[in-house]
Amino acid sequence: MATTSNPETLQKIVAALGVFATSTDKQQIASANEWLQDFQHTIEAWEVSSTLLMAADSPPPLKMFAAQTLKSKVVYDLNQLPSEQLPLLRDTLVSALQQFSSGPRNTLVQISLALSSLAMQMPDWAPTAVQNLIETLGTTPDYVAGLLQFLAVLPDDVSTNTRIPVSDDEYRTRSQSLLTENCENVLNLLTMYITAQGITPHIQKLVFEVLSSWVVSGEVSASMVGQTPLFDSMFEALATDQLFDMAGDLLCDLIHETQELDDNMPIVEKIVPRLIALQPQLEADKEDPDKLRLWCKIFCEAGETYRMLIVHHTETFLPLVQAIAQCAASDDLDIAQLTFNFWYRLGQSLGKQRSIPSDISKVYEAVLNTFIGHIHFPMDPESTTAQDQDDFRSFRHDIGDVLKDCCYVLGADFVLDRTYGILADALERGMSGNAVAWQEVEAPLFAMRALGGEIDWTQQNEKILKIMEVLPGLPAHPRVRYAALMLISRYTPWVAKHPEHILSQLTYITSSFQDSDLEVVSAAGHALKYLCQDCRAHLVPYLEQLYGFLATVGPKLMQEDRLAIYESIGWIISSMPRDIAANTLRKFAVDIFSTIQVVPGQNATHAKVIIDGLEQLEQLLDVVGSFGEDLPPACETTAVEVWAVMSDIIAQYGALPDICDRSTRVIRLGLQIFHRAALPLIPRLLESLTSRFENTGLASYLWAIGKVIQRFGLEDDLPLKSAIQQTYELCTAKCTAIFTQSALRLHSDVVDDYLSIVTPLLEQCPDILFLSPAFPMSFSILVGALQLYNTDTTFQSIGLIRGILGHDALQAPQDAQTPPRFPLFAKAISDTVEKEGPILVNHLFVGLLDHFAPEMMSGVVTTIRILTQLWTTNMQQWIPTVLDQIPVSPALQPAKAQFLVDFEDAIVSRDLDKLKPAISTLQRSVLRAKDRRRPLDR
């Protein structure tokens, strides 16, 4: 085993890596990972890693860790080394590249990345780095693989590694030196290797990998490749099993980089004939799915890239389209799926042309038939797994998009006509006594449903009329009925323009609710919802029929399906004149409430009935919406009646989370309908909601209270103001008690909904918020919310804190006319900040160093600036104390120290604008440290 200057460190490294190899304990693995990452931050890691990497007796895992560590340190910690040691580090990495040329590949890649990152940070070496390595390694066969691996990772690392600490100007200069100025040298090197006698498949693969990397980066153009033997070698390699994958990927990359057609026509003219000549391979390799998949990928890449050439030079490029159509016809649906984007992009391009070549139209007609064939369910569905069935359903929906793409080329009427013809043919064969599988009927129904979005509903279309007429007579198979219902739900805009068909569609839909197949029932609910949404005015005469249907069939349905019916009824009600709509809504609501009340007993069954009833009422109210501020006569006494029932439900069952949740949602929607007519009830409503929160601690009550205050907080009503204040104080006291008994982070829902109370108070009732004895507790909860890992909650919390600290009462000029209570507001805020300030500053910086999302930076900067501006002396004490108490990784210690210097400078210079860059610099250091502390590979 290699020796280092610190054997104890080596033992710890070996032990920690051993945990990855042997332990399944998550805590052990996390601890080992943390120790290894902390070690990587140290200066000692340079020497230890170099020694372990180069030692002949180090085991492979240890060498891999050493290579990872060196790569990480070159990226993040190069400033730990004096500049005179950088050449020694470079020589060590070059020696490692030589040593590991034969593998393992993962270690070789890490060394190559380290060397690439080092070159970007060594201005004296960058201009000659590539040429030096070519001269040092390129002529020794044993080192060629190492050199090629370095050249393979170099373009991508230089282009995408934003973690390397160089300025934009330095980046441009060094990337030019490393890449652009060396592209011809690299191309000549690759040409030399590919034409060398006795070149091994391994070296050929690496040559193609390097070439692909340089082509994708844009440093080597497709035209440059076309002028070298590499071009022919790539096509020749497609005939070799060992090189097929790498050569195929390279060809895809090369084609992709010829998208600027005007600049690349010579190489395009060279690629396309070679590619078309390979079309017979689709038939030759049709039994090899892996090969066929790559062939398909190549042809599709060419088709997408050269689609405009296909449009304007169809005769020349038609074989490409035919090859892709051949791929689409594959029984392997994963391969057929690769062609989807091509049909979309070509269809988009063709759809903009005045005329479409007939040869292309014929291909699209064949593709249309192909994909309708692909959407047939398997003849034996039981033979497939649940995962296969899910994948197939997803595939079918993607095919639906391809059928729409066919409309761009063939026209929606043609595609609909062709699809209907397939359906009619299947039905006709069935009527003639021939056996017709249900799949033959279901597939065109699914296809016509997918085409619904492409149909112009304003135009007369005889085919749609025929489709609607044929639906009631379809076979009774559940999958066929499901497809027919989903088709109806897509074609309801047409039904709205042809209301004479409403009765037949409504009858078909309602009869489907009695089907034994649950998916069919669900589809019926879906179809009814859209029929009622699009045809709401026409369906008013049928509402009594739906009312009776709901009374007789409704109890037998699943709740989800009943909700679909109530939503549908809501759409019809929303189209009625206001007074009639109010009476109708009342009728359905009374029925729901009577169902809730007639169920005897207080048990789980009764609770379920209440939950279902409240969900139905919520669905109904949500769709109907508001009648406006002036209520119809039918609603004048309804608020009192509804509250009598709701208060009873809350009193008896409000401790059940599900009933609490649904009750509060219904109350919110009820307030939306009754608006100011409910004002006399609000004090009682607040008292009830507050009492239930005190008894249960369920967050939904806080949410509902917040909605009430938001709606009525500006009302000039003393009893209401008193009720709001009492509610605020009692809820704050209860929340404080909850967070005292157990950690605040365990009650994120309570915190989140408590903020919904404070928000309208700050905006509408600041006198209640600030002058209440509950304000210090309330502010403490806002500060505590910054500990949560829920970004939405912390974002809202810091916004409220910022609003409080920045209140006009604190910054009003002494000689200005201000509201009489502003001095009282200012004193309340100042007294609270004096007490809570250290905790607030602590949570701000802990969040900044740990879990705050980047979008919270603006709020953090503003909050710290306000604190520094108004409580300068305090902040000079709080910030150093807080930062000293917060444990951070060794990598962040310099950043923390620098922030303290920058903070003090902002105060001394009386330039608080300096705070933002100081905080931003600290945050960038945090993000950089987080980026490097990713879990090590096991």
Side-chain angles (χ1 to χ4, degrees):
M1 179 68 69
T3 59
T4 72
S5 58
N6 192 338
E8 183 181 349
T9 299
L10 177 59
Q11 291 175 358
K12 289 181 178 179
I13 293 172
V14 172
L17 290 173
V19 170
F20 285 104
T22 60
S23 178
T24 58
D25 184 273
K26 291 183 179 179
Q27 185 57 47
Q28 270 192 322
I29 294 171
S31 297
N33 186 67
E34 184 174 359
W35 186 90
L36 288 171
Q37 290 182 332
D38 284 342
F39 164 74
Q40 287 183 323
H41 296 167
T42 64
I43 295 179
E44 181 187 15
W46 289 107
E47 179 190 353
V48 173
S49 300
S50 299
T51 304
L52 291 176
L53 182 64
M54 302 305 293
D57 57 348
S58 294
L62 208 54
K63 292 186 176 185
M64 178 60 185
F65 171 72
Q68 283 181 323
T69 300
L70 284 173
K71 182 202 75 173
S72 178
K73 294 197 75 63
V74 168
V75 172
Y76 295 106
D77 298 330
L78 200 62
N79 59 355
Q80 292 179 344
L81 296 179
S83 57
E84 58 268 18
Q85 288 190 19
L86 297 187
L88 179 60
L89 173 62
R90 175 198 62 198
D91 295 343
T92 299
L93 291 173
V94 172
S95 297
L97 201 65
Q98 295 171 328
Q99 181 174 320
F100 288 90
S101 276
S102 59
R105 184 177 183 276
N106 55 358
T107 304
L108 180 60
V109 168
Q110 295 297 311
I111 296 168
S112 299
L113 289 170
L115 201 54
S116 168
S117 298
L118 181 62
M120 280 294 289
Q121 298 177 77
M122 289 185 66
D124 294 339
W125 186 48
T128 59
V130 172
Q131 189 58 38
N132 286 349
L133 288 172
I134 290 175
E135 293 170 357
T136 304
L137 308 175
T139 56
T140 305
D142 290 345
Y143 302 154
V144 167
L147 171 63
L148 290 175
Q149 188 62 69
F150 168 76
L151 293 174
V153 304
L154 180 64
D156 183 65
D157 191 51
V158 169
S159 302
T160 64
N161 191 350
T162 57
R163 298 165 294 179
I164 298 175
V166 293
S167 68
D168 290 345
D169 289 340
E170 289 172 333
Y171 169 78
R172 282 189 289 270
T173 300
R174 291 172 201 172
S175 62
Q176 174 89 6
S177 298
L178 287 167
L179 300 178
T180 307
E181 294 174 5
N182 284 293
C183 60
E184 290 189 8
N185 292 338
V186 170
L187 205 55
N188 292 336
L189 181 74
L190 299 180
T191 300
M192 180 184 74
Y193 288 147
I194 206 71
T195 56
Q197 293 293 325
I199 183 174
T200 64
H202 176 59
I203 296 300
Q204 282 181 291
K205 285 182 180 180
L206 283 172
V207 167
F208 290 151
E209 184 181 349
V210 174
L211 184 57
S212 178
S213 178
W214 284 69
V215 166
V216 169
S217 71
E219 297 297 337
V220 170
S221 68
S223 298
M224 292 170 68
V225 176
Q227 296 170 12
T228 71
L230 292 163
F231 183 82
D232 291 332
S233 298
M234 173 183 62
F235 277 98
E236 291 164 4
L238 291 169
T240 307
D241 288 343
Q242 287 178 294
L243 301 175
F244 178 75
D245 289 343
M246 187 61 70
D249 289 339
L250 173 58
L251 179 55
C252 285
D253 292 335
L254 200 69
I255 292 169
H256 186 79
E257 295 304 317
T258 61
Q259 292 186 70
E260 298 295 334
L261 297 177
D262 291 341
D263 298 333
N264 289 287
M265 278 310 298
I267 186 63
V268 171
E269 291 171 351
K270 197 170 182 179
I271 290 173
V272 171
R274 297 288 295 264
L275 195 54
I276 291 174
L278 292 170
Q279 185 178 353
Q281 293 300 129
L282 295 174
E283 179 65 26
D285 291 328
K286 66 180 181 181
E287 301 302 327
D288 187 335
D290 292 332
K291 275 193 171 183
L292 188 59
R293 185 175 293 107
L294 186 51
W295 284 123
C296 180
K297 181 182 172 184
I298 293 169
F299 280 108
C300 286
E301 184 64 56
E304 291 179 39
T305 303
Y306 306 141
R307 63 190 182 280
M308 295 311 299
L309 295 175
I310 294 172
V311 171
H312 297 295
H313 305 281
T314 303
E315 184 176 344
T316 301
F317 289 87
L318 182 65
L320 276 183
V321 185
Q322 293 170 332
I324 298 169
Q326 191 174 343
C327 295
S330 170
D331 293 333
D332 188 330
L333 300 185
D334 288 338
I335 293 174
Q337 198 163 3
L338 294 175
T339 69
F340 288 175
N341 199 49
F342 166 74
W343 301 118
Y344 166 72
R345 299 188 73 178
L346 180 60
Q348 290 282 320
S349 299
L350 289 167
K352 299 173 184 176
Q353 306 302 310
R354 292 183 178 179
S355 62
I356 296 173
S358 59
D359 289 338
I360 294 289
S361 296
K362 289 177 183 178
V363 174
Y364 265 89
E365 288 180 33
V367 168
L368 175 63
N369 293 332
T370 293
F371 282 123
I372 292 177
H374 279 326
I375 60 178
H376 281 67
F377 274 103
M379 297 306 291
D380 181 14
E382 301 300 323
S383 65
T384 58
T385 66
Q387 183 61 52
D388 288 339
Q389 292 172 14
D390 288 343
D391 291 344
F392 182 65
R393 285 191 179 94
S394 176
F395 172 79
R396 276 163 55 97
H397 285 289
D398 290 338
I399 283 189
D401 291 334
V402 178
L403 297 180
K404 298 174 192 175
D405 300 333
C406 292
C407 294
Y408 290 120
V409 178
L410 303 173
D413 289 345
F414 178 91
V415 177
L416 185 64
D417 186 68
R418 174 65 64 88
T419 310
Y420 174 76
I422 295 172
L423 172 65
D425 179 66
L427 294 176
E428 186 176 337
R429 284 187 286 112
M431 293 176 64
S432 302
N434 297 315
V436 176
W438 64 263
Q439 290 90 339
E440 296 183 66
V441 178
E442 191 275 344
L445 288 173
F446 177 89
M448 287 188 289
R449 168 195 165 194
L451 294 171
E454 303 305 313
I455 295 172
D456 183 355
W457 306 116
T458 64
Q459 301 295 318
Q460 292 293 332
N461 194 311
E462 294 299 319
K463 282 294 178 292
I464 298 179
L465 177 60
K466 291 182 179 180
I467 292 168
M468 292 301 168
E469 289 175 344
V470 84
L471 291 181
L474 291 174
H477 191 280
R479 298 309 309 174
V480 173
R481 198 171 188 93
Y482 176 88
L485 288 165
M486 297 305 287
L487 185 150
I488 290 173
S489 69
R490 195 68 187 83
Y491 282 62
T492 50
W494 182 88
V495 179
K497 295 184 178 300
H498 301 80
E500 65 273 15
H501 294 278
I502 285 179
L503 180 59
S504 62
Q505 304 308 318
L506 186 61
T507 302
Y508 186 78
I509 292 170
T510 52
S511 65
S512 300
F513 277 104
Q514 302 182 58
D515 199 285
S516 59
D517 189 289
L518 295 181
E519 288 192 354
V520 171
V521 176
S522 177
H526 192 75
L528 183 61
K529 177 179 72 173
Y530 284 104
L531 185 69
C532 292
Q533 186 174 336
D534 290 334
C535 310
R536 64 188 83 171
H538 298 302
L539 279 164
V540 171
Y542 300 97
L543 191 57
E544 279 300 318
Q545 179 182 333
L546 283 173
Y547 181 77
F549 171 78
L550 191 59
T552 55
V553 178
K556 304 173 187 177
L557 299 177
M558 301 284 287
Q559 170 69 353
E560 182 181 350
D561 303 315
R562 286 198 295 267
L563 291 177
I565 296 174
Y566 275 106
E567 182 181 355
S568 305
I569 290 169
W571 287 114
I572 299 175
I573 294 174
S574 70
S575 72
M576 295 176 168
R578 199 180 64 138
D579 289 349
I580 299 174
N583 279 310
T584 307
L585 177 61
R586 178 185 173 88
K587 177 181 179 179
F588 280 95
V590 167
D591 273 6
I592 292 172
F593 279 129
S594 65
T595 303
I596 293 174
Q597 290 173 312
V598 297
V599 178
Q602 297 185 14
N603 51 45
T605 302
H606 190 193
K608 179 66 170 65
V609 172
I610 292 174
I611 291 169
D612 288 351
L614 291 173
E615 285 182 339
Q616 293 158 17
L617 186 59
E618 179 191 358
Q619 190 75 71
L620 197 59
L621 296 177
D622 191 40
V623 175
V624 173
S626 172
F627 292 120
E629 292 193 16
D630 297 326
L631 285 179
C635 296
E636 287 178 356
T637 61
T638 308
V640 176
E641 297 167 1
V642 170
W643 175 240
V645 178
M646 293 302 300
S647 63
D648 185 54
I649 291 173
I650 291 173
Q652 292 190 53
Y653 288 91
L656 298 176
D658 286 341
I659 289 183
C660 164
D661 194 38
R662 286 157 181 80
S663 296
T664 51
R665 295 210 297 261
V666 168
I667 287 171
R668 180 186 71 84
L669 292 169
L671 293 176
Q672 178 178 301
I673 286 181
F674 296 121
H675 198 56
R676 297 192 79 254
L679 196 57
L681 294 171
I682 299 305
R684 277 187 283 162
L685 171 60
L686 287 174
E687 181 184 3
S688 178
L689 294 174
T690 304
S691 173
R692 294 312 281 152
F693 175 64
E694 287 186 294
N695 294 334
T696 66
L698 296 175
S700 292
Y701 289 118
L702 295 176
W703 174 82
I705 290 168
K707 295 298 181 184
V708 173
I709 298 174
Q710 184 180 18
R711 182 171 288 275
F712 297 104
L714 293 175
E715 295 289 342
D716 188 13
D717 184 286
L718 288 178
L720 175 59
K721 291 288 187 183
S722 176
I724 291 175
Q725 179 166 347
Q726 184 178 15
T727 292
Y728 162 55
E729 291 173 355
L730 291 174
C731 289
T732 301
K734 176 62 178 178
C735 287
T736 301
I738 291 173
F739 305 146
T740 301
Q741 293 168 3
S742 55
L744 179 143
R745 60 182 173 78
L746 301 176
H747 304 281
S748 60
D749 58 335
V750 176
V751 176
D752 197 33
D753 289 326
Y754 179 78
L755 299 186
S756 70
I757 293 179
V758 178
T759 300
L761 286 176
L762 178 61
E763 295 169 353
Q764 302 175 16
C765 313
D767 52 335
I768 293 177
L769 177 66
F770 295 136
L771 302 184
S772 167
F775 175 61
M777 290 187 290
S778 181
F779 190 81
S780 178
I781 293 171
L782 298 183
V783 172
L786 299 176
Q787 301 173 82
L788 298 177
Y789 282 76
N790 184 324
T791 299
D792 291 340
T793 304
T794 52
F795 191 84
Q796 186 180 3
S797 177
I798 202 163
L800 288 168
I801 292 170
R802 186 178 56 199
I804 292 170
L805 299 179
H807 195 275
D808 291 343
L810 290 166
Q811 303 188 52
Q814 293 183 354
D815 56 347
Q817 289 291 330
T818 59
R821 292 192 171 188
F822 265 28
L824 299 176
F825 293 177
K827 185 176 187 310
I829 296 170
S830 294
D831 291 347
T832 301
V833 172
E834 292 281 349
K835 178 184 175 184
E836 298 291 336
I839 302 173
L840 171 58
V841 172
N842 176 275
H843 290 349
L844 286 173
F845 279 94
V846 168
L848 184 68
L849 297 171
D850 181 35
H851 62 272
F852 282 170
E855 56 265 29
M856 290 198 56
M857 265 300 296
S858 175
V860 172
V861 169
T862 305
T863 303
I864 292 176
R865 181 183 178 122
I866 295 172
L867 285 168
T868 305
Q869 179 181 350
L870 300 179
W871 291 274
T872 307
T873 303
N874 303 75
M875 287 291 281
Q876 285 179 295
Q877 298 171 0
W878 293 341
I879 283 188
T881 303
V882 163
L883 287 179
D884 187 55
Q885 293 171 349
I886 298 175
V888 296
S889 64
L892 276 179
Q893 289 292 355
K896 191 167 77 169
Q898 183 60 47
F899 172 78
L900 290 173
V901 172
D902 295 340
F903 174 74
E904 192 62 31
D905 177 56
I907 293 177
V908 171
S909 64
R910 297 185 180 181
D911 184 3
L912 296 187
D913 288 341
K914 292 182 177 180
L915 287 175
K916 182 175 181 179
I919 297 171
S920 298
T921 300
L922 180 61
Q923 191 208 26
R924 282 196 298 270
S925 299
V926 170
L927 295 175
R928 188 174 168 83
K930 284 182 179 179
D931 186 57
R932 77 178 294 177
R933 291 183 72 83
R934 294 173 179 170
L936 295 171
D937 294 332
R938 292 193 63 176

